[in-house]
Amino acid sequence: MTDRRGVVAKRAENLMPDVPYVRGWAKARRSADTLASQLTALGLESDFPGLTADVNVSGDGLVRLGIVRPEAALILAELIVAGLAAEMPMQTEMLPQEARRARPNTSAA
């Protein structure tokens, strides 16, 4: 999905044969729809009017947020941080359980 400089490849404006553009776009569309529904649930749909699905020259799906106000970008960043913070306790609770499952049974039978 990235070019040699590590940035997103150019949009697919001239289609090449044997590149799965529709598959990439469909994946981006599903992701954009999911994000749009979450933004709507939070009352933020009007802050992201340019939210769209796209595809690059390699057939990778892209979700474009469009031009957003700095306040909208800040809100999105805060939501991501809050989600990650909420996920961290769940992950640390699962670590001991996963360690027990991964440990071989060394008890003598």
Side-chain angles (χ1 to χ4, degrees):
M1 180 150 142
T2 58
D3 65 11
R4 60 185 169 80
R5 293 172 299 173
V7 296
V8 175
K10 294 180 183 176
R11 292 181 58 222
E13 295 182 1
N14 297 317
L15 302 182
M16 304 282 290
D18 300 324
V19 177
Y21 295 110
V22 174
R23 186 179 306 136
W25 182 87
K27 185 176 180 181
R29 179 77 260 156
R30 287 189 300 273
S31 297
D33 287 346
T34 300
L35 180 56
S37 68
Q38 294 300 311
L39 292 170
T40 299
L42 294 167
L44 299 172
E45 68 276 5
S46 63
D47 289 308
F48 296 88
L51 179 65
T52 59
D54 204 346
V55 67
N56 69 13
V57 294
S58 303
D60 300 316
L62 305 173
V63 175
R64 295 185 175 275
L65 298 178
I67 298 173
V68 297
R69 296 177 303 112
E71 296 84 6
L74 181 61
I75 290 169
L76 184 57
E78 289 170 349
L79 289 169
I80 292 169
V81 169
L84 290 172
E87 238 180 45
M88 291 304 289
M90 288 186 277
Q91 288 178 352
T92 56
E93 289 171 10
M94 292 181 66
L95 287 176
Q97 295 171 3
E98 290 173 3
R100 282 193 298 271
R101 281 192 296 247
R103 191 178 324 140
N105 186 358
T106 57
S107 62

